[in-house]
Amino acid sequence: MAKIIDGKKISVQIKEELKEKVAKLKRDGKEITLAVIQVGNDEASTVYVGNKKKACEYIGIHSLSYELSEETTQDKLLELIEELNQKEEVHGILVQLPLPKHIDENAVIHAISPKKDVDGFHPQNVGALSIGESGFVSCTPAGIIQLLKRSGIEIAGKHCVVIGRSNIVGKPMAMLLLRENGTVTVCHSKTKDLAKLTKQADILVAAIGKPKFITKEYIKEGAVVIDVGIHRMENKKLCGDVDYDDVIDKVSAITPVPGGVGPMTIAMLMYNCVESISL
């Protein structure tokens, strides 16, 4: 019987731990402040921003909200970021992605101070991860490590296969699994004979961006499968990159969609916010 890795439950555990830490910091006269910037009114972004604010409120983190119009220029956005970089009372800065097409996302990511980059996207934090130094880590991969550890799944010595090489998930995921002493293979759109590699995986992380792409033909008997994808089907139901019903009898553990990786991303964002006060 496959173990269902419950991201909702584990994310609540992490938030409860953080709530205690924040309460202790407040007793010591320290308050954490996160600045959240949203440009335009993309529906999905509005939902994500709302969830982040709710999480801040629950844990006891003060959040500042900057809702800018779609027409906001790149210069105006960069000015606001620089202003927040200079404010000592602001510990974390989060710019909700995607941004409108006329704004260069890379320029915005570079503009946030690495010490306030709670998303873990700044090149300095990415570089720190790659050489094993401390810094903020991208929230989704950090959340996956917590899912595995808190579910009692050993990473050291395991063959871990990551499908996807994005800067936000695939690459940092590979580096974090290496840090935990996994043996890591990264697959991508140009990989030849994908199934041959994925069938060797003790731990398979699917971040491929294609609904129900991974079927049982791609999976080794007894593998642990982490599904990063999230897609809305025509029947309005959500699914991941993995065909859950097809693989469920072959895996030893799996994350569901929804309720697996998703809740962990916000939990780890909150973790980074709490860390930001000590930088």
Side-chain angles (χ1 to χ4, degrees), residues 121-140:
F121 296 163
H122 192 282
Q124 192 170 310
N125 284 319
V126 175
L129 171 62
S130 71
I131 59 170
E133 290 189 358
S134 60
F136 290 118
V137 176
S138 188
C139 303
T140 301

Side-chain angles (χ1 to χ4, degrees), residues 91-205:
H91 303 95
I93 301 169
L94 186 150
V95 179
Q96 183 63 40
L97 303 178
L99 290 164
K101 286 188 172 64
H102 64 278
I103 296 175
D104 176 1
E105 284 187 2
N106 273 339
V108 171
I109 289 165
H110 282 68
I112 298 168
S113 163
K115 291 184 174 180
K116 299 189 179 190
D117 165 43
V118 287
D119 264 330
F121 296 163
H122 192 282
Q124 192 170 310
N125 284 319
V126 175
L129 171 62
S130 71
I131 59 170
E133 290 189 358
S134 60
F136 290 118
V137 176
S138 188
C139 303
T140 301
I144 290 167
I145 295 293
Q146 287 299 316
L147 280 179
L148 292 168
K149 285 185 168 181
R150 290 173 186 246
S151 300
I153 294 162
E154 182 73 37
I155 302 169
K158 296 289 176 68
H159 187 184
C160 308
V161 176
V162 179
I163 315 174
R165 54 175 166 181
S166 72
N167 291 338
I168 290 173
V169 180
K171 288 176 189 169
M173 187 75 251
M175 286 190 278
L176 283 173
L177 289 164
L178 273 174
R179 192 162 85 177
E180 297 295 331
N181 300 311
T183 300
V184 182
T185 300
V186 179
C187 300
H188 46 78
S189 58
K190 297 286 188 283
T191 297
K192 290 179 180 171
D193 202 352
L194 179 65
K196 186 182 174 187
L197 291 166
T198 59
K199 281 180 98 160
Q200 296 171 30
D202 302 309
I203 299 171
L204 180 66
V205 181

